Amino acid sequence: MKKNKKLKRLVLGFLGIAVFLGIWQLAGTLGWVSTKILASPTDVVATFIDKLTNPKPDGSTLPQHIWASLKLALIGFGAACVIGIPLGLTMGFFKGMDHFFNPLFEIIRPIPPLAWIPVILLILGIGTTAKAFIIFVAAFVPCLLNSYVGIKRTRTTLINVAKTSGATDMQIFFKVGLPSALPMVFTGVKVSLGTSWATLVAAEMLSSSVGLGYMIQRGRTIVRSDIIIVGMLTIGVIGAILVFLLSLLEKKIAPWRNKK
Amino acid sequence: MAEARKQITVKGICKSFQNQEQSLQVLQDVTLDVNENEFLVILGPGQCGKTVLLNILAGLESADSGTVEFANGTPKYGEIGFVFQRYALFPWKTVLQNVEMHHKFQRVPKKERREQAMHFIRLVGLDGFENAYPAQLSGGMKQRVGIARAYATRSNIILMDEPFGALDAQTRYQMQDEILKIRSAEKTTVIFVTNNIEEAVTLGDRILLMSNKPSSIVREYVPELPRPRQNTDRAFMDLRNVIAQDMDLAL
Ligand SMILES: Nc1ncnc2c1ncn2[C@@H]1O[C@H](COP(=O)(O)OP(=O)(O)OP(=O)(O)O)[C@@H](O)[C@H]1O
Ligand SMILES: [Mg+2]
């Protein structure tokens, strides 16, 4: 019964993708859209396989692009986690921290990440640091916000249990607040990862000679929609893989949530 | 009964809460004594401030006015056991970890705190479940963990806040027997809060009736019933009816 359902779901999922690809392919062969403007799926696959080893026409092979982008996104994302999570948790738990940082954060929060680009360029130039910083800015907010809300939602009774057991504030923070907040922290991290991956293209459009964003940008300049699409799909697939890896980690860290 | 030694003296406790520009008076002049090693039941209708009163006794909240005096000096956190309303177990901790938490916070060495925790897990009849997570337990079992955890503090005062309120009638009766058994094994003062008259009469050495908000203690009963008490007993039913009438009056 359960296996059947899973199979059905899998089949339907594949069917969805297949129908989409079919229509896309037909659009080209039946001449609805010029294949010059929109490359067909078969072209895209061919380009994908070719790009695995061929640096032409944009200067680097696909793995090189992926590696460059991944490095950039992970630096920005990593920094956002390392700073955003502890800050969010301590702000949510310790009143003084909250009062000190909250007004500042409320002002910074509504500024869209892309609005940071000019000032970042002015200060940091156009190197890797600048690009990583843009990703950091985008990824930082969901990390901080979810950690903050997560720890604030710690059940008062659980805090009271710890207090009546003689726990210190620090023990309550680490043993009660932190584990309570963990599911939301993870949600924040997942959103952050998605955001950093999505901001990548914008960051790499600044100025790059390598990276998936650069590859897409380059594809547009030389009018090669197959390259653009390979770049887009690669971003999509890698984003999905990263989020999947995070869910695995989440299950490992929070085993009590699946022991029903 | 021989003159009992007073353990806690509560005098004139008042407590109100400020909620969006209006003030809610919950406790008004609550005065009571708690004797050493007695099983004191505080019986009151829903929302009358029973939890607030226990929180004040435990030091989790402070009264607006009035005093709480302990014969052996005001206990620090960790020196009063508290069984919370609706379980309050840590979902990410196993039964054993939940019970040994108190000792862990006090940095008791692992081996010793394991032994202590296992002693109380056996006492509440949960041996074999020490590595289960709360989500895997039934309501009655969860509350057993809460009781074991409170007793594991080894304090001589244990507060119980409607511990069986969320249980079905069958489990409730069973847990009432259980709590009396535990109590004969571990001599402590128990302050037990409930809104269930029958439960109060089954358990209490003494019963204090609380009125509706703003609440105070309005009556005291000392059931002269032999234990184990049967709710089919004449005297049991009489007392139950008296309390039920008083409760209606008090509301
Ligand atoms: N921290 C608080 N802030 C504001 N109001 C509160 C607070 N704690 C309790 N109250 C109010 O005080 C009243 C009494 O609450 P309390 O939880 O003590 O009642 P109770 O007798 O334990 O009820 P129950 O039988 O449902 O457990 C309620 O009306 C509640 O809304
Ligand atoms: Mg209550």
Side-chain angles (χ1 to χ4, degrees):
Chain A
M1 188 64 194
K2 213 172 168 190
K3 227 178 177 167
N4 237 327
K5 258 192 190 153
K6 236 183 177 169
L7 193 71
K8 210 168 158 186
R9 201 175 136 180
L10 222 65
V11 169
L12 276 177
F14 271 112
L15 214 62
I17 295 176
V19 167
F20 173 76
L21 289 178
I23 293 175
W24 177 7
Q25 182 79 36
L26 274 180
T29 29
L30 296 182
W32 297 343
V33 193
S34 152
T35 40
K36 273 242 160 60
I37 297 172
L38 181 71
S40 69
T42 38
D43 292 345
V44 170
V45 171
T47 306
F48 171 76
I49 293 169
D50 177 52
K51 281 301 295 171
L52 284 178
T53 50
N54 186 359
K56 277 188 188 122
D58 43 85
S60 312
T61 62
L62 188 59
Q64 284 169 329
H65 285 307
I66 293 177
W67 174 236
S69 294
L70 211 51
K71 219 165 48 182
L72 203 58
L74 290 183
I75 292 172
F77 165 72
C81 290
V82 168
I83 299 174
I85 296 173
L87 195 59
L89 290 174
T90 44
M91 274 171 66
F93 193 81
F94 299 103
K95 287 248 154 50
M97 288 288 289
D98 198 9
H99 296 162
F100 185 86
F101 282 108
N102 211 334
L104 187 66
F105 178 66
E106 285 303 326
I107 292 172
I108 292 177
R109 183 158 79 117
I111 305 175
L114 297 188
W116 284 83
I117 292 182
V119 70
I120 290 172
L121 289 185
L122 269 181
I123 299 170
L124 294 173
I126 48 174
T128 311
T129 328
K131 284 179 271 180
F133 196 83
I134 292 167
I135 294 173
F136 164 78
V137 170
F140 175 72
V141 172
C143 256
L144 186 143
L145 212 58
N146 280 280
S147 309
Y148 177 81
V149 175
I151 203 163
K152 269 221 181 288
R153 288 212 191 139
T154 309
R155 278 177 58 196
T156 325
T157 341
L158 289 189
I159 293 178
N160 282 346
V161 171
K163 268 192 197 163
T164 55
S165 301
T168 62
D169 273 0
M170 274 301 157
Q171 283 173 324
I172 295 177
F173 176 77
F174 283 108
K175 302 286 177 177
V176 186
L178 188 61
S180 293
L182 216 50
M184 272 203 78
V185 170
F186 255 103
T187 309
V189 168
K190 273 193 239 170
V191 175
S192 258
L193 186 63
T195 316
S196 31
W197 201 230
T199 319
L200 189 74
V201 179
E204 283 178 343
M205 277 176 185
L206 278 183
S207 83
S208 304
S209 48
V210 64
L212 291 169
Y214 168 76
M215 186 174 118
I216 291 174
Q217 186 67 359
R218 191 79 196 123
R220 194 184 68 87
T221 332
I222 58 174
V223 202
R224 283 281 302 271
S225 62
D226 53 333
I227 288 187
I228 298 179
I229 294 170
V230 167
M232 284 169 63
L233 289 181
T234 309
I235 288 179
V237 169
I238 290 182
I241 291 175
L242 289 176
V243 169
F244 173 73
L245 289 179
L246 266 184
S247 327
L248 284 189
L249 185 69
E250 183 178 14
K251 279 195 188 127
K252 248 216 154 84
I253 288 185
W256 68 89
R257 295 180 74 209
N258 357 292
K259 284 219 175 159
K260 277 262 153 67
Chain B
M1 203 188 267
E3 188 59 15
R5 215 171 80 87
K6 283 197 176 46
Q7 189 167 24
I8 311 174
T9 313
V10 177
K11 273 202 199 111
I13 294 280
C14 295
K15 175 81 183 173
S16 56
F17 291 102
Q18 247 65 39
N19 272 354
Q20 285 124 35
E21 296 174 25
Q22 57 173 338
S23 150
L24 176 73
Q25 182 83 29
V26 178
L27 301 179
Q28 190 160 51
D29 197 15
V30 171
T31 296
L32 58 94
D33 292 328
V34 184
N35 299 327
E36 206 160 9
N37 289 341
E38 78 171 328
F39 198 117
L40 176 69
V41 172
I42 296 177
L43 173 66
Q47 295 295 301
C48 75
K50 305 182 292 294
T51 299
V52 172
L53 178 61
L54 286 190
N55 282 348
I56 291 173
L57 292 182
L60 291 170
E61 277 179 79
S62 54
D64 299 337
S65 60
T67 55
V68 181
E69 271 168 36
F70 292 82
N72 304 325
T74 306
K76 292 198 282 288
Y77 278 142
E79 292 177 350
I80 289 188
F82 204 140
V83 182
F84 289 83
Q85 199 168 359
R86 277 187 281 280
Y87 319 134
L89 302 181
F90 289 78
W92 55 86
K93 287 186 185 295
T94 62
V95 168
L96 181 68
Q97 290 166 336
N98 266 287
V99 175
E100 71 174 6
M101 194 172 56
H102 169 82
H103 287 104
K104 199 164 172 197
F105 286 140
Q106 315 298 326
R107 303 187 189 290
V108 173
K110 190 164 184 166
K111 187 162 171 289
E112 195 185 327
R113 67 172 197 250
R114 284 275 133 102
E115 275 166 17
Q116 287 275 343
M118 280 314 295
H119 167 77
F120 289 99
I121 287 172
R122 274 192 292 274
L123 186 72
V124 298
L126 276 184
D127 30 340
F129 289 95
E130 56 270 15
N131 293 321
Y133 284 94
Q136 298 167 290
L137 303 180
S138 69
M141 288 159 91
K142 281 186 210 169
Q143 205 46 281
R144 283 169 199 257
V145 180
I147 292 166
R149 180 172 64 188
Y151 272 98
T153 60
R154 287 227 175 258
S155 39
N156 43 28
I157 302 171
I158 305 227
L159 311 177
M160 301 191 185
D161 192 0
E162 295 189 47
F164 311 141
L167 305 181
D168 59 273
Q170 192 58 40
T171 319
R172 193 170 185 144
Y173 288 135
Q174 209 181 328
M175 289 303 293
Q176 288 168 3
D177 289 347
E178 199 74 32
I179 201 77
L180 291 174
K181 253 185 248 156
I182 292 169
R183 193 178 118 75
S184 50
E186 303 278 328
K187 265 286 167 210
T188 58
T189 306
V190 175
I191 303 176
F192 185 105
V193 157
T194 182
N195 59 15
N196 183 305
I197 300 178
E198 199 153 298
E199 183 165 85
V201 179
T202 307
L203 297 177
D205 291 332
R206 202 152 61 93
I207 300 166
L208 298 177
L209 179 63
M210 245 172 131
S211 65
N212 236 340
K213 268 185 314 224
S215 335
S216 55
I217 305 292
V218 289
R219 287 274 197 301
E220 169 184 294
Y221 312 90
V222 183
E224 304 286 350
L225 303 166
R227 290 181 189 273
R229 295 175 182 164
Q230 300 293 334
N231 60 4
T232 45
D233 248 26
R234 188 75 250 161
F236 188 104
M237 289 193 283
D238 287 345
L239 181 57
R240 192 184 61 194
N241 293 340
V242 169
I243 298 179
Q245 273 167 19
D246 291 349
M247 213 165 172
D248 284 343
L249 285 178
L251 296 192

